[in-house]
């Protein structure tokens, strides 16, 4: 009986539905009958219609009844049939489901609109949640995260910081009774060379016990051995991440034992980490490989001295309360304080705390706020979509009054009707949710492909997992109930008699009209909030673009090279840069060029401690921490940074001359207020021999962000202070900047073909670093606001046009009585526009509140920005008016005779 | 076993099954009904009634072997029983009694 006969088989969906709905004992025969009919229909009316018929029959409620009827019967031929009664909830739901499917296949247009609206609303929610999930909730791949703690250093100002390696050694020693082990790690960005060419990578320098402490194993090979973490520079080995293993090495296990070149030196691959572990640094960010901390002399020479960027993780002994660990850490802190006294380590040393931050003390607040903002925005969009749909369903419920009243007369209780309508809504929601899930997934894929304007390679790990699915299901069901519940309640409650009697062509009773109007108002209110938000972000972005950043943002070419990662020794770097400079200047197109280790508004800045005679250090430290830059003399002119006092660097400022420094105006005002700073001295902490004298004052330029207050900044001449590992060449000339940049890169390659060129771009590309967030915010919120307004307008259009069709008779009468056409139009628009007005007002109030909440994201624009609050309502009003007017024009064209004749 | 009269639908199906003789299975019954009455009944409804009829003993069913034209699914053939035939006769007789002496209304095709 299970062999299928020759020939095509009817649609799988239909067969599935049969399996669901048809009673077991008769399924064969029924499927056979329908299959035979289908094959016949195919000849006569074509595959598609035959298929639709098959599906409809398969979902027929008569099958449910049959099922109920034959429950418990033995249907073998010849056996007397017995019957049983009683209907369970499950069978009732089955019935509702089949009914819903039939209904929807009968009105595919309506179903499509509903499903699309839902998908557009649910998709972005899924996407945002995926991102949040990837950043906050995902399994980090470590064993027993409950006994793992992060150890941070807390400064006297209460802020948490990364710390120095030497601190780690002290902690390791002094906490053996609370921690079974402590690991340390720090980020590096480096360059990997291999068969597939060179690529920038993100890695972690880690202690040898790192993997052991985290409980992460190797899927191939091994992790680090204790001896690899003892002596600096002796064990150039690396553990690859699973992703790197897959993408660059084709998952070939024979890569273990092979060597790869990192920053110009050979490292032996000893293993590949578990696929679930993606690095410790920042959740969501994928680390490419791990290297023993002891390789720092090659990869990060300043790690032990000035790079205070290590993090520590400790594994608590089982059963140890964190308080005890804190006490042990306090003791260590006290000891360090005592030992070092006034030295630089007391700058930020307060105590050590255990804290579980998702990212870092600084970023957590920002990222959480942004995530909340995004969620609010997409949540609002979904809300608008749901309100829209509720309006549709309400209108539809009016049309189905007759059907409902018959059901009630046949004995269906209020609960049964409610249940059936809800099932309809949920079926639509389910389909919409599935499509929304797919949409959300694509959105996330799109986001992870974006080239973020960051100096290091960023790979986000934001996949679909159980939590995302559960969230989407939750949102889908919630949406389905949201737009389905109110219409369903209204439909199930209206008394039968009224329904049967009220067959006239009125617009469905006052109650229903009011509900629809409320919905239009609600949608307009929500749209108003989103639009105001979009307007504010847009203005914010534009005002940010107008801020004077203190340097010339005109077209310029920027070349960024990394001599350190290429393998140059510090002594050779100066010569390299000179050669490159000379080679570039050979190009006659280049007019002005300057060098600098850091550009304004770039990410990543260096600061050092200084003592300034006569100026007391800040409260929480013993010296001044000031940001600095290594530049050549032409830099100031190329960047358009004016020298306000004193002089620029000259050729006399070399290694034989007296050490000099140029300070920013903010520095001058801060440290030597009201005086001429030229001639003043700054020196290294506790080392007056090592000093620099101020020779000039430069105008302030933005260093970190566009909105910062002027900061103290120091400029040192490259020719004297030494060449940094990374250098920027900034040039302006007689050709478009992208061409210049390309030629500069070629010049650099002529000097050294192996040189690691980090980037060769233009000034405007560089400015993207600082523009990225506000720009993206404006784009996103703007897009969502437009979406919401579109949905709301479609809803308004639908309701007005529906009103016209319902009131055809009344309008016909009016026209025949001589009413002017324009008056008719106005009449029809009236109710709609009143709702819009009410909604807009409520929305304005809500927008004011919302503006307050997002004020902190805005630049140069307050929450009360008058232009936005005037322009946006106008836009909303204009669009709403159009959405009401266009369908209302149809009212004009009503032929009174036709109208009176029809019912 | 069956003291009750067959309902309208039950009569229709009984008659159709009788007419179709040995060829009365789900789809055939439906096609025949549709042809004669101009209305289409869902397959499920047909089986529903046939099950009821079988329960009352007015029809008997048996399964055929699998047939290729139906994707290998069997057919369930229904045969009217003697009881079924008798109950139809009784129903018809009852109606005839009530009709006696009454003129039929004008058929739609002829003039009054």
């Amino acid at each position: 009986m299970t062999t299928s006969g020759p020939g095509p088989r009817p649609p799988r969906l239909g067969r599935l539905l049969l399996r669901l709905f048809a009673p077991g004992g008769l399924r064969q025969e029924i499927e056979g009958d329908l299959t035979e009919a289908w094959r016949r229909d195919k000849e006569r009316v074509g595959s598609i219609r035959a298929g639709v018929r098959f599906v409809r029959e398969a979902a027929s409620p008569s099958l449910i009844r049959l099922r109920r009827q034959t429950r418990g019967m033995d249907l073998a031929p010849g056996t007397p049939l017995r019957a049983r009664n009683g209907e369970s909830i499950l069978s009732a739901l089955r019935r509702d489901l089949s009914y819903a499917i039939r209904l929807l296949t009968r009105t595919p247009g309506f179903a499509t609109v509903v499903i699309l609206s839902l998908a557009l609303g649910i998709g972005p929610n899924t996407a945002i949640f995926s991102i949040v999930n990837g950043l906050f909730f995902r399994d980090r791949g470590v064993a027993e995260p409950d006994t793992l703690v992060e150890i941070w250093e807390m400064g006297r100002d209460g802020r948490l910081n990364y710390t120095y390696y030497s601190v780690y050694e002290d902690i390791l020693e002094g906490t053996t009774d609370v921690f079974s082990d402590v690991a340390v790690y720090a980020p590096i960005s480096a360059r990997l060379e291999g068969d597939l060419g060179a690529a920038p990578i993100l890695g972690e320098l880690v202690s040898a016990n790192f993997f052991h402490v985290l409980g992460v194993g190797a899927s191939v090979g091994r992790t680090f051995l204790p001896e690899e973490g003892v002596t600096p520079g002796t064990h150039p080995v690396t553990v690859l991440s699973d992703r790197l293993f897959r993408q660059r090495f084709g998952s070939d296990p024979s890569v273990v034992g092979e060597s790869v070149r990192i920053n110009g030196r050979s490292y032996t691959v000893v293993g590949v980490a578990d696929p679930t572990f993606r690095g410790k640094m920042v959740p969501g960010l994928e680390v490419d490989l791990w290297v023993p901390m002891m390789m720092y002399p090659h990869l990060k020479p300043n790690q032990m001295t000035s790079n205070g960027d290590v993090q520590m993780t400790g594994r608590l002994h089982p059963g140890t309360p964190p308080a005890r660990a804190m006490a042990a850490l306090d003791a260590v802190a006290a000891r360090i304080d005592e030992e070092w006294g006034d030295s630089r380590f007391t700058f930020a040393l307060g105590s050590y705390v255990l804290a579980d931050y998702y990212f870092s003390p600084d970023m957590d607040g920002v990222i959480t706020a942004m995530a909340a903002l995004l969620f609010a925005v997409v949540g609002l969009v979904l809300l608008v979509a749901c309100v829209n749909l509720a309006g549709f369903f309400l209108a539809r419920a009016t049309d189905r009054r007759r059907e409902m009243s018959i059901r009630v007369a046949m004995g269906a209780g209020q609960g049964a009707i409610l249940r059936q309508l809800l099932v309809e809504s949920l079926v639509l929601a389910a389909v919409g949710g599935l499509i929304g899930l797919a949409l959300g997934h694509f959105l996330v894929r799109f986001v992870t492909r974006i080239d973020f304007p960051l100096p290091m390679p960023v790979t986000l790990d934001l996949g679909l997992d159980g939590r995302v699915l559960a969230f989407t299901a939750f949102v889908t069901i919630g949406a389905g109930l949201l737009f389905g519940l109110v219409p369903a309640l209204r439909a199930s409650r209206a008394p039968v008699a009224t329904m049967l009697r009220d067959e006239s062509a009125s617009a469905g009773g006052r109650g229903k009209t009011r509900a629809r109007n409320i919905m239009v108002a609600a949608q307009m209110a929500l749209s108003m909030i989103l639009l105001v938000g979009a307007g504010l972000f847009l203005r914010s972005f534009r005002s940010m673009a107008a801020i004077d950043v203190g340097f010339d943002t005109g077209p310029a070419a920027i070349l960024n090279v990394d001599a350190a990662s290429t393998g140059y020794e510090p002594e050779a770097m100066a010569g390299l840069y000179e050669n490159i400079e000379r080679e570039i200047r050979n190009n006659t197109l280049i007019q002005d060029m300057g060098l600098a280790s850091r550009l304004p508004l770039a990410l990543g800045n260096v600061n050092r401690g200084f003592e300034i005679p006569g100026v007391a250090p800040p409260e929480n430290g013993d010296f001044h921490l000031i940001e600095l830059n290594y530049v050549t003399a032409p830099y100031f002119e190329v960047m358009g940074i004016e020298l306000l006092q004193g002089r620029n660097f000259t050729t006399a400022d070399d290694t034989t001359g007296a050490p000099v420094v140029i300070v920013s105006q903010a520095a001058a005002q801060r440290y030597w207020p009201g005086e001429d700073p030229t001639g003043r001295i700054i020196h290294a902490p506790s080392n007056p021999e090592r000093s620099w004298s101020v020779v000039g004052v430069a105008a302030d330029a933005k260093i970190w962000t566009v909105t910062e207050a002027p900061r103290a900044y120091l400029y040192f001449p490259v020719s004297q202070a030494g060449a940094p590992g990374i250098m920027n060449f900034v040039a302006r000339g007689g050709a478009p900047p992208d061409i210049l940049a390309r030629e500069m890169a070629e010049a650099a390659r002529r000097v050294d073909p192996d040189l690691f060129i980090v980037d060769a771009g233009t000034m405007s590309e560089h400015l993207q670093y600082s523009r990225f967030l506000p720009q993206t915010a404006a784009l996103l919120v703007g897009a969502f606001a437009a979406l919401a307004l579109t949905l709301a307008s479609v809803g308004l259009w639908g309701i007005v046009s529906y009103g016209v069709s319902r009131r055809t008779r009344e309008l016909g009468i009016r026209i025949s009585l001589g009413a002017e056409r324009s008056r008719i139009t106005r009449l029809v628009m009236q109710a709609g526009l009143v709702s819009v007005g009410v909604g807009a007002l409520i929305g304005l109030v809500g927008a004011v509140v919302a503006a307050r909440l997002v004020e902190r994201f805005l630049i140069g624009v307050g929450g009360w920005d008058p232009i936005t609050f005037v322009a946006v309502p106008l836009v909303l009003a204009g669009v709403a008016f159009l959405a009401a007017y266009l369908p209302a024009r149809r009212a004009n064209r009503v032929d009174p005779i036709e109208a009176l004749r029809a019912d | 076993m069956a003291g009750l009269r067959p309902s309208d639908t039950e009569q229709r199906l009984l008659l159709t099954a009788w007419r179709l003789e040995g060829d009365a299975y789900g789809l055939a019954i439906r096609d025949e009904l549709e042809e004669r009455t101009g209305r289409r009944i869902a397959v499920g409804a047909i089986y529903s009634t046939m099950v009821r009829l079988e329960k009352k003993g007015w029809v008997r069913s048996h399964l055929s072997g699998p047939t290729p034209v139906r994707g290998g699914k069997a057919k369930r053939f229904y045969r009217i029983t003697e009881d079924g035939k008798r109950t139809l006769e009784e129903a018809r007789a009852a109606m005839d009694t009530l009709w006696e002496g009454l003129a039929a209304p004008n058929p739609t095709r002829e003039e009054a």
Side-chain angles (χ1 to χ4, degrees), chain A residues 610-628:
Chain A
F610 296 92
E611 276 183 33
I612 304 176
V615 184
E619 276 179 19
N620 50 359
D622 291 314
F623 45 80
H624 305 269
L625 212 58
I626 314 178
E627 281 143 343
L628 49 87

Side-chain angles (χ1 to χ4, degrees), chain A residues 734-745:
Chain A
D738 47 331
I739 296 181
L740 284 180
R742 213 184 5 224
E743 301 202 352
M744 288 166 75

Side-chain angles (χ1 to χ4, degrees), chain A residues 122-128 130-131 433-449 462-465 468-469 472:
Chain A
I122 293 177
N125 275 279
T126 301
I128 302 290
S130 288
I131 296 176
L434 276 172
I435 300 181
L437 185 68
L439 178 66
H441 185 60
F442 280 121
L443 283 176
V444 169
R445 292 263 299 268
F446 176 70
V447 163
T448 55
R449 294 248 164 85
L462 309 167
L464 217 60
D465 69 0
V468 175
L469 291 174
T472 306

Side-chain angles (χ1 to χ4, degrees), chain A residues 201-204 241-244 246-247 275 277-290 457-463:
Chain A
I201 47 137
L202 192 62
E204 287 179 320
S241 71
D242 184 71
R243 195 180 64 90
L244 196 68
R246 272 182 291 119
Q247 286 183 357
F277 183 60
R278 293 177 183 87
K280 193 75 180 60
M281 264 191 313
V282 175
L285 219 55
E286 299 223 23
V287 169
D288 294 307
L289 49 75
W290 293 271
V458 167
T459 324
L460 295 175
D461 154 46
L462 309 167

Side-chain angles (χ1 to χ4, degrees), chain A residues 322-340:
Chain A
R324 263 192 71 199
M326 281 288 296
L329 288 171
D330 281 338
V332 173
R335 212 169 31 245
I336 295 183
D337 243 345
E338 220 183 273
E339 260 183 60
W340 289 99

Side-chain angles (χ1 to χ4, degrees), chain A residues 851-875:
Chain A
R852 275 278 117 117
L853 292 173
V854 299
E855 240 177 346
R856 58 148 121 196
F857 293 111
L858 302 175
I859 300 172
V861 178
W864 260 116
D865 183 41
I867 296 186
T868 308
F869 275 93
V870 162
V872 165
L874 283 177
V875 169

Side-chain angles (χ1 to χ4, degrees), chain A residues 27 119 266 442 549 769 774 829 892:
Chain A
R27 191 178 308 135
S266 245
F442 280 121
V549 292
Y769 289 152
M829 286 171 66
N892 272 349

